[in-house]
């Protein structure tokens, strides 16, 4: 059975005794000598190659071999194993990366992400182009905390750097094949050649395919399957001993079904043929996830006598089409589909100088980027789903009109409220509620919108009503009954209702930065860095009300009401069929603030000086501590769907200031690596996406404030030549310190606030443990057994409903591999989610707007085999 989305209790408890015990074992072995050592990891987090243990930044680094052993294929997979990081994405074309609770949940293009993703030193401006297959990757570095100095804008939460393998001075070919359940078939072909004494080339071709792990009971299309192809080529030319020219190019194709989402409302689940989100599904909107992506970069590095010059020139782009079923059901009365079309290109140029003396290490740089994009958002409804939406809004506004006492309604969970709306909707459609027949909810919305926009007064004037009579004086219920003549049959026919909005953007950013590390003593270093960034954005919104409502009048008399509520007269209304009077145009998904034809051009600019100060002290050759104060900056932007009353079309830039104390240590002849940090940050003007506005709520971004504090621990232990153990733990507390719910009316200031509530999607505790044992075979080969365990705490799933909690979960992966003595052949058997845990990845989403909240799930048990040959 599915875990209740509205219960905050954990399904299992987790004690820190496991982690404490592991640390105690490691620290108690001070007198032991080890033959095994932990391999050094070189990172470029400070724009120069350094040992991970020498960098005073909280970093989680993963090599390509590490990720292969963990079964990691994407950044979303990697997030499960990274302390303080969440990448819970059900679709790679709308990813959200959260580092220490800092993220941006916007799915449009008016804003930027809060975690910067770099591929081979090149910033990827859009999330839809950032989630790339991790094939033939040298390593991935996850830098936590603001990285505004060296990585620049949009790194308020941190930065993720994907580094692919460079061509080498040898001739090698490698073929990797994978087969698994649900039709899993993957392949990676890697070819490296020495083309000349100073010219080397590398080519990679990768495919990854898998069927859906459930069946669609309502259509012949699938959701949740995978089908990608990736091609990479690179050349290294060394014209002299001091110069390296590196050219890279990549092209990727994605052609698959989109996210597999199922409604969590019980009645809608039952109609889909199941009882929870972990079985088969029934969707009526075809799911599509298509993307063609490309990129090319040219890096030139030249060593002068006293410094190194680096130039990185890049051009990237993609075209993408993402279509999803937002309600998670095939019920036509809850039909809600969406589609996003993206066309994006970006150019970037960075120049950098690095130098070092006996007491100084320094970096100077300048960068420029320009991004051009077009984004189209479509929403697909029916008149029936608009009625469902209106019923749900009406129930929330006045539950007693639906027979539910207000006190009882206030105690109901969101899922129970959505279920009540489904039951009320079904009763109205069946004629079981005479006072609320089919179509009455939409008619109510229509009349309220006509009153709000002045269209109701215009209608009365067209009917020849006396000048002293205004629409606000008429009996509201009787006027709604008048509109039912046209709207009721329109709703019952489930008439299609589609809307669209188009955004264009022309964004540019320029920055200069400097960073210097000064050795104050043999043991103490001081690092100071600063970056000045200037962003400019031109943005447009083009949207029209594409639908007309079937306005008709039933005829008869309508009461004219006085100020005291008494009837002071009657107004005769003629009987008019659909088409006899002008039909009003409305937008439900994109209400355009009442503007029927919106053509809005917006422009703004933002600038910021961000920096860092770090003091590190090396107590011994193996133990270093540091304290840092750093901040990051993310430019403001624009609401892609215009603005509701009280919401500005643009929003302010955001910033994060982070104070951190950390330790990095390599103990017992480098047999134990123990890194830890504690941090606290202030998050100002964070850009929060939420449903706001009335009577029709829309998604808008606005600014709020938050704070967070926590701790992270990573430990690795080469216990023997054969046994390697590693683990990590993160603790995170976040809360909003400023958050007003603008659309709420008639509430006190305390009730109209999210202050004190935790950030969405941030588990308080997260724990990973890994053990790997290697057996040496008599013929020179070896067998490697590995297990990975992850436990992630519960987390809030929706800012609109903090009581909707995603339960905690655990994952257990196993792998058994064999390597030949010559290293020419390798094979492995693996299983992911070995215990077949039923894990919800997220609740809510845009389907919540019509009372059909969906959920998506992690994959069930997956198993398969890998085979590698090298020659």
């Amino acid at each position: 059975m599915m875990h209740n989305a509205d219960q905050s209790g954990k399904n299992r408890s987790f004690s820190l005794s496991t982690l404490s015990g592991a640390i105690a074992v490691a620290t108690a072995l001070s007198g032991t000598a080890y033959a095994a050592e932990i391999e050094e990891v070189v990172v470029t987090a400070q724009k120069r190659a350094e040992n991970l243990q020498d960098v005073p930044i909280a970093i989680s680094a993963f090599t390509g071999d590490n990720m292969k052993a963990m079964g990691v294929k994407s950044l979303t997979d990697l997030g499960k194993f990274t302390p303080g990081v969440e990448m819970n994405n059900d679709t790679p074309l709308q990813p959200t990366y959260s580092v220490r609770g800092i993220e941006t949940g916007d799915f449009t293009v008016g804003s930027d992400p809060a975690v910067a993703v770099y591929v081979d030193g090149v910033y990827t401006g859009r999330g839809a182009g950032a989630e790339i297959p991790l094939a033939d990757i040298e390593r991935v570095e996850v830098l936590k905390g603001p990285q505004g100095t060296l990585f620049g804008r949009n790194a308020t939460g941190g930065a993720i750097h994907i580094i692919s393998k460079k061509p080498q001075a040898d001739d090698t070919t490698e073929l990797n094949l994978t087969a698994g359940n649900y039709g899993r078939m993957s392949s990676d072909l890697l070819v490296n050649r020495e083309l000349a004494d100073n010219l080397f080339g590398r080519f990679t071709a990768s495919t990854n395919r898998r069927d859906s792990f459930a069946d669609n009971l309502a259509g012949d299309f699938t959701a949740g399957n995978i089908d990608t192809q990736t091609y990479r080529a690179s050349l290294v030319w060394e014209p002299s001993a001091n110069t390296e020219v590196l050219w890279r190019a990549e092209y990727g194709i994605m052609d698959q079904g989109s996210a597999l989402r199922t409604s969590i409302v019980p009645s809608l689940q039952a109609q889909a043929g199941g009882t929870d989100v972990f079985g088969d599904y029934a969707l009526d909107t075809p799911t599509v996830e298509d993307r063609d992506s490309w990129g090319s970069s040219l890096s030139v590095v030249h060593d002068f006598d006293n410094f190194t010059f680096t130039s990185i020139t890049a051009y990237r782009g993609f075209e993408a089409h993402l279509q999803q079923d937002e309600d998670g059901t095939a019920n036509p009365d809850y039909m809600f589909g969406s589609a996003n079309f993206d066309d994006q290109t970006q150019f970037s140029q960075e120049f950098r100088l690095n130098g070092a003396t006996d007491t100084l290490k320094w970096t100077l740089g300048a960068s420029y980027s320009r991004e051009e994009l077009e984004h189209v958002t479509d929403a697909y409804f029916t008149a029936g789903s608009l009625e469902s939406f209106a019923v749900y809004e009406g129930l929330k506004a006045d539950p007693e009109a639906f027979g539910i006492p207000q006190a009882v309604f206030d105690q109901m969970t969101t899922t129970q409220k959505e279920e009540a709306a489904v039951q009320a909707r079904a009763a109205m459609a069946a004629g079981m509620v005479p006072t609320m027949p089919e179509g009455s909810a939409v008619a109510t919305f229509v009349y309220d919108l006509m009153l709000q926009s002045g269209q109701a007064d215009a209608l009365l004037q067209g009917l020849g009503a006396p000048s002293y009579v205004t629409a606000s004086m008429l009996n509201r219920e009787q006027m709604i009954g008048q509109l039912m003549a046209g709207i009721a049959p329109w709703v019952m026919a489930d008439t299609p209702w589609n809307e669209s909005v188009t955004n264009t953007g022309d964004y540019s950013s320029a920055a200069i930065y400097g960073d210097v590390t000064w050795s104050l003593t043999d043991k103490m270093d001081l690092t100071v860095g600063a970056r000045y960034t200037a962003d400019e954005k031109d943005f447009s919104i083009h949207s029209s009300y594409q639908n007309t409502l079937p306005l008709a009048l039933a005829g008869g008399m309508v009461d004219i009401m006085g100020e005291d509520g008494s009837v002071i007269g009657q107004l005769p209304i003629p009987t008019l069929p659909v088409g006899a009077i002008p039909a009003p145009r409305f937008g439900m998904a994109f209400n355009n603030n009442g503007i029927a034809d919106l053509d809005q051009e917006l422009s703004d600019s933002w600038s910021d000086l961000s920096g860092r100060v770090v003091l590190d002290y090396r107590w011994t050759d193996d133990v270093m501590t540091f304290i840092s104060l750093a901040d990051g900056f993310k430019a403001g932007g624009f609401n892609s769907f215009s603005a509701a009353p009280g919401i500005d079309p643009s929003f302010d830039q955001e910033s994060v200031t982070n104070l951190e104390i950390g330790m990095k240590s390599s103990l017992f002849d480098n047999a134990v690596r123990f890194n830890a940090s504690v941090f606290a940050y202030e998050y100002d003007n964070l850009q929060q996406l939420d449903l706001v506005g009335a009577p029709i709520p829309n998604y808008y971004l606005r600014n709020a404030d938050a704070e967070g504090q926590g701790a992270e621990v990573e430990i690795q232990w080469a216990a023997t030549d054969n046994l390697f153990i590693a683990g990590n733990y993160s603790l995170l507390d976040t809360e909003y310190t400023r958050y007003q719910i603008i659309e709420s009316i008639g509430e006190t200031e305390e009730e109209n606030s999210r202050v004190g509530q935790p950030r969405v999607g941030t588990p308080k505790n997260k724990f990973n443990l890994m053990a790997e044992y290697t057996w040496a075979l008599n013929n020179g080969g070896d067998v490697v057994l590995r297990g990975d365990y992850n436990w992630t705490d519960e987390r809030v799933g929706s800012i609109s409903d903090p009581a909707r909690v995603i339960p905690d979960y655990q994952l257990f992966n196993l792998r058994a591999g064999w390597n030949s003595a010559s290293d020419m052949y390798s094979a492995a058997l693996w299983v992911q989610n070995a215990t077949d845990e039923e894990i919800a990845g997220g609740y809510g989403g845009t389907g919540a707007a019509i009372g059909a909240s969906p959920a998506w799930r992690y994959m069930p048990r997956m198993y398969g085999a890998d085979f590698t040959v090298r020659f």
Side-chain angles (χ1 to χ4, degrees), residues 332-333 381-385 425 438 489-497:
D333 286 340
F381 303 96
T382 66
S385 58
R425 173 79 172 85
E438 179 83 339
W490 179 75
V491 167
M492 289 186 286
D494 283 322
T495 309
W497 177 286

Side-chain angles (χ1 to χ4, degrees), residues 706-848:
E707 63 182 17
Q709 51 273 326
E712 295 165 359
V713 176
E714 294 187 86
I715 186 169
Q716 299 175 14
W717 179 24
T720 69
D721 285 340
N722 305 94
L723 178 62
F724 182 75
I725 300 173
N728 60 61
Y729 167 75
S730 60
L731 170 69
L732 179 64
D733 271 318
T734 65
E735 66 173 325
Y736 289 99
T737 56
R738 175 176 66 95
Y739 196 125
Q740 282 305 104
I741 310 169
I742 296 175
E743 77 276 18
S744 295
I745 299 174
E747 297 179 346
T748 66
E749 184 174 339
E750 290 76 16
E751 293 171 333
N752 192 26
S753 172
R754 300 292 188 209
V755 171
Q757 295 177 4
R759 291 273 288 150
V760 173
T762 58
K764 184 174 183 179
N765 299 283
K766 185 176 180 178
F767 174 68
N768 284 282
L769 184 65
M770 181 276 283
E772 186 175 88
Y773 191 85
T774 303
W775 271 287
L777 303 177
N778 293 332
N779 64 0
D782 61 48
V783 172
V784 181
L785 299 182
R786 178 185 176 113
D788 289 277
Y789 173 81
N790 164 263
W791 177 82
T792 299
D793 208 347
E794 67 181 17
R795 59 195 187 277
V796 173
S798 169
I799 181 59
S800 301
D801 181 16
R804 177 166 276 167
V805 173
I806 302 172
D808 66 314
Y809 67 85
Q810 59 183 351
L811 276 172
F812 189 39
N813 300 339
L814 294 172
R815 182 182 179 89
W818 164 80
N819 301 298
S820 68
S822 65
D823 200 36
M824 185 175 180
Y825 301 102
S826 298
L829 299 174
W830 51 265
V831 57
Q832 296 175 330
N833 190 7
T835 57
D836 201 21
E837 286 278 300
E838 294 184 339
I839 302 169
Y843 296 113
T846 54

Side-chain angles (χ1 to χ4, degrees), residues 489-558:
W490 179 75
V491 167
M492 289 186 286
D494 283 322
T495 309
W497 177 286
N498 302 327
E499 299 185 33
S500 182
V501 60
T502 299
N503 302 128
T504 63
D506 189 343
Y507 304 160
S508 63
S509 178
I512 55 174
Y513 62 92
D515 193 74
V516 60
T517 299
W518 179 23
S519 296
L520 301 176
T521 70
D522 290 342
K523 294 180 177 292
M524 183 181 295
D525 292 342
L526 174 66
T527 300
V528 178
R531 174 185 289 252
Y532 177 77
T533 306
D535 279 21
E536 294 184 1
K537 294 185 177 182
D538 295 323
F539 189 73
S540 72
I541 307 171
H542 306 282
S543 181
S544 295
Y545 293 154
Q546 302 161 262
N547 300 274
T548 56
L549 289 164
L551 193 60
L553 296 176
M557 306 299 291
V558 173

Side-chain angles (χ1 to χ4, degrees), residues 191-442:
V191 179
N192 192 99
R193 290 292 182 267
E194 182 174 1
L195 305 175
D197 290 342
N198 62 350
L199 183 64
F200 319 108
R202 190 175 186 89
F203 174 77
T204 305
S206 301
T207 65
N208 186 20
R209 294 184 175 89
R210 194 206 67 220
D211 297 334
S212 177
F213 45 83
D215 294 327
N216 187 3
L217 304 178
D220 57 1
F221 60 90
T222 61
N225 60 311
I226 293 175
D227 191 347
T228 64
Q229 303 172 52
T230 306
Y231 305 93
R232 294 193 181 102
S234 55
L235 287 172
V236 167
W237 176 44
E238 297 176 349
S240 70
N242 298 324
T243 305
E244 178 189 85
V245 179
L246 171 58
W247 170 79
R248 287 184 167 109
E250 65 179 63
Y251 179 69
I253 302 171
M254 179 184 297
D255 184 9
Q256 58 194 36
S258 185
L260 194 166
R261 296 175 177 175
T262 304
S263 176
I264 61 175
V265 182
S267 293
L268 298 180
Q269 286 178 351
Q271 293 169 12
T275 57
D276 58 38
V277 301
F278 301 106
D280 290 331
Y281 60 97
L283 304 180
D284 52 9
T285 299
T287 65
V288 177
E289 198 159 24
D290 289 347
R291 182 187 66 189
D292 285 355
S293 60
W294 59 90
S296 183
S297 66
L298 183 68
S299 170
V300 180
V301 180
H302 182 79
D303 290 326
F304 292 91
D305 290 340
N306 299 314
F307 62 89
T308 298
F309 168 79
T310 301
S311 168
I312 303 176
T313 307
Y315 183 79
R316 298 178 62 87
F318 66 87
E319 294 179 358
H321 172 204
L322 172 64
Q323 183 168 297
Q324 302 180 98
D325 190 306
E326 300 290 353
D327 59 287
T329 176
N331 186 327
D333 286 340
Y334 284 85
M335 197 278 178
F336 181 8
S338 72
N340 291 271
F341 301 86
D342 287 280
D343 188 348
Q344 184 256 16
T345 58
Q346 66 178 68
F347 167 82
S348 63
Q349 174 66 59
E350 181 173 8
F351 295 112
R352 187 168 67 242
L353 299 175
N354 294 87
T357 67
D358 291 340
T359 58
L360 289 177
K361 296 178 182 177
W362 55 271
T363 300
L364 293 175
S367 64
Y368 172 81
S369 67
R370 181 174 180 180
E371 178 186 14
E372 295 181 318
L373 53 87
E374 181 178 271
H375 177 90
V376 177
T377 302
D378 292 340
Y380 311 124
F381 303 96
T382 66
S385 58
L386 297 183
E387 173 81 347
S388 298
F389 160 73
V391 168
Y392 187 45
E393 290 296 313
L395 176 67
K396 290 186 292 183
D398 186 10
E400 296 193 359
F402 292 81
I404 302 176
Q406 184 69 55
V408 174
F409 187 80
D410 291 341
Q411 297 300 312
M412 295 169 66
T413 66
T414 298
T415 301
Q416 290 171 337
K417 292 175 181 177
E418 291 177 324
E419 175 66 15
V422 172
Q423 298 294 342
R425 173 79 172 85
M428 291 166 61
M432 298 170 60
V433 187
T435 57
M436 285 187 259
E438 179 83 339
S440 60
V442 168

